[in-house]
Amino acid sequence: MSGWIFLSGMMGSGKSTVGRLLAEWNGTALIDLDVRIAARANKSIPRIFADEGEAVFRRLEAEEAGRVIAHDKPTVVALGGGTVMNADTRRLLLEAGVLVTLDAPAGELAARLEGKGDRPLLMRGEAASILEGLLAERAEAYAECHGRVETAGRSVGEIAEEVAAIARANPIVVPLGKRTYRVDVAAGARARLPEHVSGAVLLVTDTNVDRAWGTEIATLLGDPFTAVLVPGEEHKTIRSVETIWDVALSAGLDRRATLVALGGGVVGDLAGFAASTLLRGVRCVQVPTSLLAMVDASVGGKTGFDRSQGKNLIGTFHQPTHVICDIDVLSTLPDAELRSGLAEVVKSAWLDGEGAVASLERDAEALLARDRSALERAVRASVRLKARIVASDERESGARMTLNLGHTLGHAIEAARGYSGIRHGEAVAVGMMKAFAVARGLGGRDADVNGARMKVLLERLGLPIDAAIDERTLAFVGADKKRASGKITFVVPGAPGHTELVPVGLEQIREFVIGGPRPLE
Ligand SMILES: NC(=O)c1ccc[n+]([C@@H]2O[C@H](COP(=O)([O-])OP(=O)(O)OC[C@H]3O[C@@H](n4cnc5c(N)ncnc54)[C@H](O)[C@@H]3O)[C@@H](O)[C@H]2O)c1
């Protein structure tokens, strides 16, 4: 454990006691945030509450948390019970290290706190019912963490060990209140899949993935129901959804069931859609097996399928309850599919900024050679970015639209070819280069320099950088979901980290990517 561990939870949950033991294992000293605040204010916490009120205390708490992260060496921090109620502080903690919530029922907490007169919030009435109320009030904030550990009836050592295990796994969190979920990124992570399912399990996969991993995963899950789909984008249809629905309904699944999506983005989108509609919604755990699904499709809750009129035109938002990106399963992924996934890695890095693009440029050959640490780095960086964007704009009304970089034309290219003959990532690579053509047409600063840099990177990764765009393809651009009042919300790339959303007319797109006005009929 080398980074920050932040312990959150209600007063009496054991943050300081567990924290001291963890810090001792770490060879560091525990930081108790309340102690720091009291020292800086030069008065006790009850005194701050009495003199200045809770609002001032919360402000001091947020400031102190920021100061600790900025100036101290990483160690274990026991937070105040209400520290994570400040959304900005919570996001800061989630980004800086591993945030773990220690849980206990209100009655148990009240018993632990009996006779301790130093808790201002408990002086207002009967302890158990106040705690009950606070737990309800803080439920969303306490849920946004890397892991929760039950403390009732357990030794300090057991609790500390579980916190340490969460810190070692170093998961990424998609913070969405009570729907928060973790993305585990590690070689061998699939072994822990059974901990994340409940009720009857339906394993959804395709024949390719089934051949490579089906038996092992089915054994891990203890003989689940299975729906094995025909692979390929051209089968991302309502027919495949029906196959999943029918297996689920024939098996008599109820609303406590879990669907496990084991496969690439096609399986993930189809299983996610089926999970969102079956019995008005059941749990879905994503176990992506392609690089593309790890870095993009499995995270964020977009589900759906294609129609002849366009790609992903029918769909829902349905967040998974857990995501497992096991780098080992990429060992059976064909080279062309690996490269296709790298297109989305390039996209994420470009949205992220200069550091991410430079790191990818350094790793390009290692990624093609399937170096496991390079792959883990790429998956982690992309998932972290996506988690951040999804947390700020779950329903894609703003920031999340930037994730469509290269997709407006990419989707049109796929649809125009009947969803065969070009992989999603390949179409996105071409789409990104065409997006630079649009940037250039709109007079974007340094569009040529930035476009040339991306072109070199895509070529090094073995990705296509051009494809013919004809009128038929453009017609699919017009059918895209991202249109509003006749204009397409186009993701216009610039330098890394500088991407803009610009309403662009179809005529302009035609002019910039094909050249010239619409031909006479
Ligand atoms: N929901 C989202 O937010 C989102 C984001 C990006 C892309 N997508 C969707 O993802 C899809 C593309 O995903 P994809 O590129 O993974 O395509 P895919 O699911 O078709 O998988 C590509 C191929 O690789 C095979 N495969 C996957 N993992 C394997 C493994 N470990 N070993 C052997 N073979 C394996 C599959 O059987 C398939 O033939 C598109 O439909 C796209 O729209 C969704």
Side-chain angles (χ1 to χ4, degrees), residues 204-206 208-209 229 231-233 236 261-272 286-294 297-298 329-330 333 337:
V204 182
T205 188
D206 70 23
N208 293 335
V209 178
L229 308 174
E233 186 72 36
K236 192 173 156 184
L262 175 74
V266 169
V267 165
D269 281 7
L270 291 166
Q286 293 278 349
V287 186
T289 62
S290 70
L291 181 61
L292 191 139
M294 288 188 191
S298 62
V329 304
L330 297 176
L333 187 70
E337 299 299 344

Side-chain angles (χ1 to χ4, degrees), residues 360-395:
L360 190 53
E361 286 170 332
R362 277 193 300 278
D363 275 348
E365 278 68 37
L367 285 164
L368 286 174
R370 296 171 181 260
D371 175 275
R372 292 210 308 189
S373 33
L375 285 169
E376 185 169 333
R377 255 194 310 281
V379 175
R380 277 190 173 278
S382 301
V383 172
R384 282 186 88 103
L385 175 90
K386 185 143 188 198
R388 216 168 37 236
I389 292 179
V390 169
S392 70
D393 176 24
E394 185 184 2
R395 294 279 171 145

Side-chain angles (χ1 to χ4, degrees), residues 206-210 212-213 230-233 236 262-269 288-294 296-304 306 311-312 328-334 337 340-341 344 347 386 400 407 411 414 423-425:
D206 70 23
T207 50
N208 293 335
V209 178
D210 186 44
W213 300 99
V230 185
E233 186 72 36
K236 192 173 156 184
L262 175 74
V266 169
V267 165
D269 281 7
T289 62
S290 70
L291 181 61
L292 191 139
M294 288 188 191
D296 199 349
S298 62
V299 177
K302 277 206 221 171
T303 81
D306 307 331
K311 201 170 143 63
N312 296 336
D328 283 347
V329 304
L330 297 176
S331 60
T332 56
L333 187 70
E337 299 299 344
S340 172
E344 298 277 18
K347 177 199 80 178
K386 185 143 188 198
R400 189 167 179 177
H407 284 61
H411 281 173
E414 286 182 85
R423 292 177 178 81
H424 178 67

Side-chain angles (χ1 to χ4, degrees), residues 344-363:
E344 298 277 18
V345 173
V346 171
K347 177 199 80 178
S348 298
W350 217 268
L351 295 176
D352 206 352
E354 179 55 40
V357 173
S359 156
L360 190 53
E361 286 170 332
R362 277 193 300 278
D363 275 348

Side-chain angles (χ1 to χ4, degrees), residues 352-519:
D352 206 352
E354 179 55 40
V357 173
S359 156
L360 190 53
E361 286 170 332
R362 277 193 300 278
D363 275 348
E365 278 68 37
L367 285 164
L368 286 174
R370 296 171 181 260
D371 175 275
R372 292 210 308 189
S373 33
L375 285 169
E376 185 169 333
R377 255 194 310 281
V379 175
R380 277 190 173 278
S382 301
V383 172
R384 282 186 88 103
L385 175 90
K386 185 143 188 198
R388 216 168 37 236
I389 292 179
V390 169
S392 70
D393 176 24
E394 185 184 2
R395 294 279 171 145
E396 199 172 300
S397 52
R400 189 167 179 177
M401 286 193 216
T402 58
L403 288 169
N404 294 319
L405 172 59
H407 284 61
T408 303
L409 280 153
H411 281 173
I413 294 169
E414 286 182 85
R417 296 180 181 207
Y419 307 109
S420 67
I422 187 159
R423 292 177 178 81
H424 178 67
E426 294 167 345
V428 168
V430 173
M432 288 193 289
M433 290 315 303
K434 299 288 181 199
F436 271 110
V438 173
R440 194 178 307 117
L442 293 171
R445 241 180 86 218
D446 296 332
D448 284 328
V449 178
N450 293 316
R453 184 176 177 190
M454 185 187 276
K455 178 167 171 271
V456 170
L457 182 54
L458 293 173
E459 282 177 328
R460 277 174 71 196
L461 294 170
L463 283 157
I465 44 132
D466 201 6
I469 307 273
D470 54 12
E471 286 299 327
R472 222 174 87 71
T473 312
L474 275 185
F476 284 103
V477 173
D480 197 90
K481 296 188 289 302
K482 292 163 279 288
R483 66 183 188 273
S485 53
K487 299 240 177 187
I488 313 284
T489 305
F490 203 89
V491 191
V492 180
H498 297 275
T499 300
E500 282 183 289
L501 295 171
V502 182
V504 184
L506 200 55
E507 291 303 321
Q508 283 176 293
I509 297 178
R510 171 180 293 107
E511 182 189 335
F512 302 147
V513 305
I514 303 187
R518 185 189 182 85

